[in-house]
Amino acid sequence: MYFCFCMKKVYFDSAATTKLRPEVIDCMTQALKTEYGNPSSTHAFGRSAKSLIETARKEIAEILNVTAAEIIFTSGGTEADNLALNSSVRDLGVKRIITSKIEHHAVLHTVHALEKHHNITVEYVDLDGCGHVTLDSLETLLAESDQKTLVSLMHVNNEVGNVLDITAVGHLCKKYDALFHSDTVQSVGHYKLDLQETLVDFLAVAAHKFHGPKGIGFAFVRKNSGLRPLIYGGEQERGLRAGTEPVHNIAGMNEALRVSYQNLDKEKAYVTDLKKYFKETIKKAIPTISFNGGCDDLERSTYTLLNVCLPMSSEKGMMLLFQLDLKGIACSKGSACQSGATGGSHVLNEFLSAEDLAKPSLRFSFSSFNTKEEIDYVVASLKELCEA
Ligand SMILES: Cc1ncc(COP(=O)(O)O)c(C=O)c1O
C-alpha cells in the first residue's frame, strides 16, 4: 500500500547519470576549499593543485593498467569520443571508419560529420536479432579493404545494455592493422578493464556514470599514437587538451573511480540481484512484457540496466514517462540526450520488429543506491498503468 502524503522519489535512471557518492562530495568539497591555485602556476598553491591532478592521473592509470601519460582529462565522454575520432582522421591518416548504428550520438554524429566534411568511408557492422554486434561481419569488413581504418564500437550499449567483447574486437583490429576506439562511458567503473589485455588505442570515459561529478571524464590514448589536440590553447594535459583543469572535478572523478573499483564485486552482486528481481517481478505482474536487447544472457548484458517493451498502445505509451514522473519514478525512454528528439530510439529501430516498435519501451537503470522495495513500487505502478 503506497500513500502520497509525501511523494516517494525513486531513481532508476543511472545510465543517464548517477547519484554522487558521499565520499566524492567530501573529496570535492575539500579540493574546492583548499586547492584553488591554478595548476599551471609555479607557486606553492599551483604546485599543490598540480600534484593533486597528477596523483589522480597516476591512480586512474593504475586501475586500467596503463601509464599516467596515456590519460588525458576531458570535459566528459562526448569530448573524449570527439578527440579520438576527429584526430584519427585529421592526424593519423584514417580514411575509413567501421562502427555500428547503435553507438551513442557522441560517436554517430561525429562519424556522420567526418563522412560529410572529410570524405571518410563509413561502414556499419551487422547486428543480430538482439542487437549484438556480429564479430563475423566486423572481420569481413576489416578484411575487405586496405584503407587505413578506425573501428569505433562501444563496450556497453547505453540504451539496451548489450555488452561487446572488446578484447576480441581489439585482437581483430590488431590482426587487420586497424585502430580501435571504444566508447566505454557505460562500462568504466562497472567492469574491470586491463588495457594490456584489451588492445584499444582510444577509450572515452565519463565520471558522472560512476557516481562522480558531471563535466569531467578522460580519454585513454595509447602511447605514441600521434594524436593531436582538439582544443588549442595552453600547454595543459601535455599540450593535448588546453584549458585550466577543473581540479575539484578531477579529484572527485578519481575518488569515484577508486570507490567504485574497491566495492566492485560487492556492488556488482547486489545490483545484479536487483536486476534479476526486477525482471522476475515485472514478468509476473505483466506476463506479456518483453525485454529488449540480449538481457537473458547476463554475460552479454550489463547488470546495470534493463530495457522493457510494454504491452500498451503507442497512444497510451506517449504519456507513460509523464505518469511515472507524477508517481515520483525516474526512468527514461532511451538516451537522456535524446529526450527532446522525435522518431524513437535509433538503437531499438535497428533490431525491434515493427510490432514491438509501436509499443512503448522504457529503460530502467540501477545502482547500489536502489532497493527491492523501490522495484516493488515501480512494478506495481507499471502494472496499474498497463491495466488502466
Ligand atoms: C555511451 C555514452 N557515450 C557517451 C556519452 C556522453 O558522455 P558525456 O555526457 O560525459 O558527454 C554518454 C552519456 O549519456 C553515453 O551513455
Side-chain angles (χ1 to χ4, degrees):
M1 186 75 166
Y2 298 98
F3 301 100
C4 296
F5 299 132
C6 95
M7 193 167 81
K8 210 174 167 72
K9 280 179 108 186
V10 177
Y11 189 72
F12 278 123
D13 205 13
S14 286
T17 197
T18 50
K19 178 174 168 171
L20 287 178
R21 290 188 196 268
E23 300 93 317
V24 173
I25 297 174
D26 289 348
C27 173
M28 290 178 72
T29 309
Q30 190 59 25
L32 281 166
K33 278 186 191 154
T34 58
E35 301 300 344
Y36 51 86
N38 186 321
S40 297
S41 299
T42 53
H43 49 61
F45 294 85
R47 290 198 310 274
S48 177
K50 179 85 175 169
S51 153
L52 192 152
I53 291 177
E54 294 315 317
T55 302
R57 196 189 309 281
K58 192 167 145 275
E59 289 176 0
I60 291 170
E62 273 167 17
I63 287 174
L64 297 172
N65 198 14
V66 296
T67 62
E70 294 170 302
I71 303 295
I72 314 294
F73 294 129
T74 63
S75 62
T78 302
E79 186 188 326
D81 282 328
N82 269 267
L83 174 64
L85 293 162
N86 284 303
S87 173
S88 294
V89 169
R90 194 193 50 196
D91 312 316
L92 310 180
V94 163
K95 299 277 181 250
R96 180 176 180 249
I97 296 178
I98 301 175
T99 187
S100 81
K101 290 194 173 163
I102 59 168
E103 298 299 304
H104 189 274
H105 281 155
V107 167
L108 273 185
H109 287 170
T110 310
V111 168
H112 294 159
L114 289 168
E115 184 177 27
K116 191 165 168 205
H117 302 299
H118 294 268
N119 225 6
I120 294 301
T121 306
V122 181
E123 318 257 20
Y124 297 94
V125 289
D126 292 341
L127 305 172
D128 69 14
C130 292
H132 283 298
V133 168
T134 62
L135 292 187
D136 287 352
S137 82
L138 173 62
E139 179 148 22
T140 306
L141 287 171
L142 281 167
E144 75 191 14
S145 168
D146 289 336
Q147 276 187 317
K148 179 87 182 162
T149 298
L150 170 78
V151 171
S152 180
L153 290 171
M154 70 204 308
H155 189 193
V156 172
N157 183 275
N158 55 302
E159 288 197 35
V160 288
N162 288 359
V163 180
L164 176 68
D165 182 349
I166 54 170
T167 302
V169 173
H171 284 299
L172 277 179
C173 291
K174 188 115 194 116
K175 181 170 165 193
Y176 292 96
D177 202 20
L179 291 167
F180 179 28
H181 161 253
S182 186
D183 178 328
T184 49
V185 166
Q186 295 287 343
S187 68
V188 166
H190 306 287
Y191 286 89
K192 285 179 190 149
L193 283 180
D194 179 340
L195 299 186
Q196 300 312 314
E197 278 172 17
T198 299
L199 304 175
V200 285
D201 295 283
F202 313 110
L203 286 188
V205 179
H208 71 107
K209 307 291 183 176
F210 50 85
H211 306 289
K214 294 168 187 57
I216 186 72
F218 64 88
F220 160 74
V221 177
R222 184 82 63 190
K223 215 175 356 224
N224 302 326
S225 70
L227 180 137
R228 293 167 54 73
L230 199 63
I231 294 171
Y232 288 91
E235 284 305 306
Q236 294 91 350
E237 298 298 302
R238 297 177 179 81
L240 277 174
R241 203 284 186 180
T244 302
E245 302 90 334
V247 184
H248 59 299
N249 268 347
I250 293 172
M253 172 164 69
N254 185 34
E255 181 65 0
L257 203 62
R258 186 188 72 73
V259 180
S260 289
Y261 281 106
Q262 189 179 53
N263 298 331
L264 190 75
D265 293 340
K266 195 175 70 193
E267 291 187 351
K268 189 173 177 184
Y270 177 79
V271 178
T272 302
D273 189 45
L274 284 184
K275 174 171 168 170
K276 281 188 189 154
Y277 182 74
F278 195 110
K279 218 176 143 214
E280 284 161 17
T281 321
I282 203 161
K283 187 78 190 165
K284 240 182 251 162
I286 311 170
T288 48
I289 198 167
S290 58
F291 303 103
N292 298 322
C295 73
D296 285 331
D297 176 357
L298 271 182
E299 287 298 305
R300 297 177 76 199
S301 168
T302 182
Y303 59 100
T304 51
L305 79 89
L306 187 64
N307 193 308
V308 303
C309 179
L310 291 156
M312 212 186 241
S313 68
S314 56
E315 294 73 38
K316 255 173 92 180
M318 298 232 282
M319 295 302 286
L320 199 54
L321 272 188
F322 175 65
Q323 286 167 317
L324 288 169
D325 191 28
L326 283 180
K327 290 174 179 290
I329 298 168
C331 63
S332 78
K333 272 203 173 144
S335 153
C337 340
Q338 283 168 261
S339 47
T342 51
S345 151
H346 73 284
V347 174
L348 297 180
N349 275 337
E350 286 305 312
F351 59 89
L352 281 198
S353 65
E355 191 191 343
D356 282 346
L357 280 173
K359 299 178 199 156
S361 284
L362 291 178
R363 176 185 75 179
F364 292 93
S365 43
F366 319 108
S367 81
S368 54
F369 290 105
N370 292 123
T371 63
K372 288 189 177 169
E373 289 69 38
E374 290 177 332
I375 292 177
D376 290 340
Y377 176 60
V378 172
V379 169
S381 303
L382 276 173
K383 184 176 164 62
E384 186 189 312
L385 291 169
C386 278
E387 288 169 356

